[in-house]
Each structure stands twice: as structure tokens, then as C-alpha cells.
Amino acid sequence: MIKLILALVFVIAFLIVSLILIPIAYIIGLFSRSARDAYSQAVVAWGFRVVGFIAGARVTEKGREKLPKGEAALYVANHRSYFDIILLDSRMPVPTAIIAKKELKAVPMLNWWMVLKHCKFLDRSDIKQNLKIVLECIEEAKNGQTILIFPEGTRSKGDSELDMLEFKEGSMKIALKSGIKVVPVAIHGTRDILEKQFPLIKASDVTISYGDPIDPASLDKEQQKHMGALCREKILEMLKEVSG
């Protein structure tokens, strides 16, 4: 319970301090969008890392050397915990937009940070709005924006680390239409931090594995059509490797 209280106290303090930090971001943006993006990513990443430290998350990264350098990419990850975003976004190599559920838009200060990071708020029940978001992401990816998605659409709640929902193929259009590479990411162990004993937080080992980037242009038409399933299979292979 102490870990949960400390984490909540820190988050509240961070959001209060954001009343000062967010205006600084907008001032920086008057002179340079890239500098604003880097500043926003650094501040949010620091906050997430502190939350991970308080929670006692012991993170091991595998395959980080594979990450694309000097170019935008679409990171595709499995989703089992609220800590997936916290631990992964804090380790992204470049400013990254996240496609997140619309409920986060209601969190004061956090919603502004997400806007600064070019994040998109997804309404699972609104197909038309979801299509609009995909089109916006395609344009931003063409302009060099790296994007993180969880194509299951929601958290998998199965007992096994290998449990995953089907990946939504529509989200893959971001890479297919923009030409950016896709990086499969397997996150293992985050459910042990919170969800397995909610509301308690437990120190746990987490492994983040990065797969070989996939160039959509190198795939045939059938593979492109089922690129979500292809990413899911590669993530499953990495999860099996960690699970032993």
C-alpha cells in the first residue's frame, strides 16, 4: 500500500508542477517545434521513470540496438497493464506519440502533456473517428513522427504472459500508407506490478524485447494485408523466449 500511496503523491505533485512546466513547453514551441517535442518527451519520460522506480519495476531491455535511427517508426506492443505505457514510453529513443483511450483526455495536466506529444485519443465505439485518427497519424508519420500503438485495443487480462487479443489490422495502415518501419515490442511482466494484486503495487521484473524492424515495402500483398497478425506472431515468439 505504501508504494501505491507514494506513486499517487508523486503523480499529483508532478501534475501540479506541470502548471509551470507546460507553459515552458509552449514558449519553446514558439521558436522550435522539434525542441518542444524533445522537451515534452524528456519531462514525461522522467515522470514515468520515477513512477516505475517507486513501483519497484526492474526493467531489462532486449534488442534495443535494433531500433531505427534517424527515422520515424511505428512501435507495436502487446498490452497487459497500465504500466505498459509508463515503462515503454519512458524508454522511447525519440519523441513519441501514443494512441491512447479517450478516457485519458479527462485527466487534467496529463491531457496537455499528451497533446504536446501529439498523442491521439481513441474512442473504440466511434469507427468514423478512429479512421480520422489513423489518417492523421499517417500524415504525421510522413512528417517524421514516431508513434506507439497497442493494436489489441484494450488490455489482455488472461493469466498467462502469452495471452494476447487479436491485433486490429486497421492500425497497421499507419505504416503501410506512410512507409515507415514497424517495430514489434513484447512487454513481459507488467501485470505482476499492479493488476494481479490491485490496488497493491508489487516490485516485479519486467522485460521489454524489441524485434527486428519490419519494412512494409519488403512484404508481399498478402503479408501487408495481415501485418497485424505478423506482428502479433513475432511478439508472441519474443514472449515465449522470455517465459522460457
Side-chain angles (χ1 to χ4, degrees):
M1 184 62 74
I2 293 178
K3 288 180 181 293
L4 176 63
I5 294 173
L6 288 175
L8 290 175
V9 169
F10 172 77
V11 169
I12 292 171
F14 176 81
L15 294 179
I16 291 174
V17 174
S18 292
L19 291 169
I20 298 173
L21 299 179
I22 288 175
I24 293 175
Y26 280 98
I27 292 173
I28 293 174
L30 294 176
F31 303 94
S32 170
R33 169 176 165 164
S34 61
R36 182 197 67 191
D37 292 350
Y39 168 84
S40 301
Q41 181 73 24
V43 172
V44 174
W46 176 82
F48 280 164
R49 280 184 176 270
V50 173
V51 172
F53 174 78
I54 293 173
R58 299 180 291 268
V59 180
T60 299
E61 292 182 279
K62 294 185 175 183
R64 190 173 180 84
E65 69 281 357
K66 301 175 182 178
L67 302 187
K69 296 177 177 62
E71 60 182 292
L74 178 67
Y75 286 78
V76 176
N78 61 311
H79 194 20
R80 287 179 53 77
S81 170
Y82 291 114
F83 273 86
D84 293 335
I85 292 178
I86 292 172
L87 299 181
L88 183 53
D89 186 49
S90 64
R91 288 166 172 79
M92 296 300 289
V94 295
T96 302
I98 304 170
I99 298 182
K101 60 183 182 179
K102 68 173 184 177
E103 286 78 7
L104 292 177
K105 195 173 183 179
V107 181
M109 297 300 109
L110 176 61
N111 51 10
W112 280 104
W113 282 119
M114 295 186 74
V115 169
L116 286 166
K117 281 168 52 63
H118 307 282
C119 297
K120 307 298 181 184
F121 300 98
L122 198 65
D123 183 350
R124 302 188 191 102
S125 64
D126 191 336
I127 297 177
K128 185 177 180 179
Q129 185 254 7
N130 293 347
L131 177 59
K132 180 182 177 182
I133 285 178
V134 170
L135 294 175
E136 290 175 356
C137 287
I138 290 170
E139 290 305 310
E140 294 204 15
K142 288 179 179 178
N143 293 323
Q145 178 65 59
T146 287
I147 299 170
L148 167 63
I149 63 172
F150 299 91
E152 291 168 273
T154 187
R155 288 175 293 126
S156 171
K157 300 178 182 179
D159 291 332
S160 171
E161 288 291 338
L162 305 182
D163 286 331
M164 279 189 289
L165 303 174
E166 295 301 315
F167 281 19
K168 300 183 185 307
E169 294 291 345
S171 58
M172 297 296 117
K173 293 185 183 297
I174 296 171
L176 290 169
K177 298 296 185 181
S178 67
I180 63 175
K181 293 177 181 176
V182 179
V183 181
V185 183
I187 308 175
H188 184 286
T190 48
R191 193 168 176 80
D192 292 337
I193 300 174
L194 177 64
E195 281 77 6
K196 281 191 175 180
Q197 62 283 323
F198 184 84
L200 301 179
I201 291 178
K202 176 185 175 183
S204 303
D205 294 315
V206 174
T207 301
I208 300 176
S209 304
Y210 305 97
D212 293 314
I214 302 170
D215 184 353
S218 68
L219 305 177
D220 60 39
K221 289 186 178 180
E222 190 64 21
Q223 289 174 318
Q224 290 180 351
K225 184 178 179 180
H226 300 288
M227 194 160 65
L230 175 63
C231 289
R232 185 181 184 277
E233 185 60 32
K234 291 186 177 296
I235 291 172
L236 182 58
E237 290 174 4
M238 290 187 284
L239 290 173
K240 288 179 178 177
E241 183 179 332
V242 175
S243 298

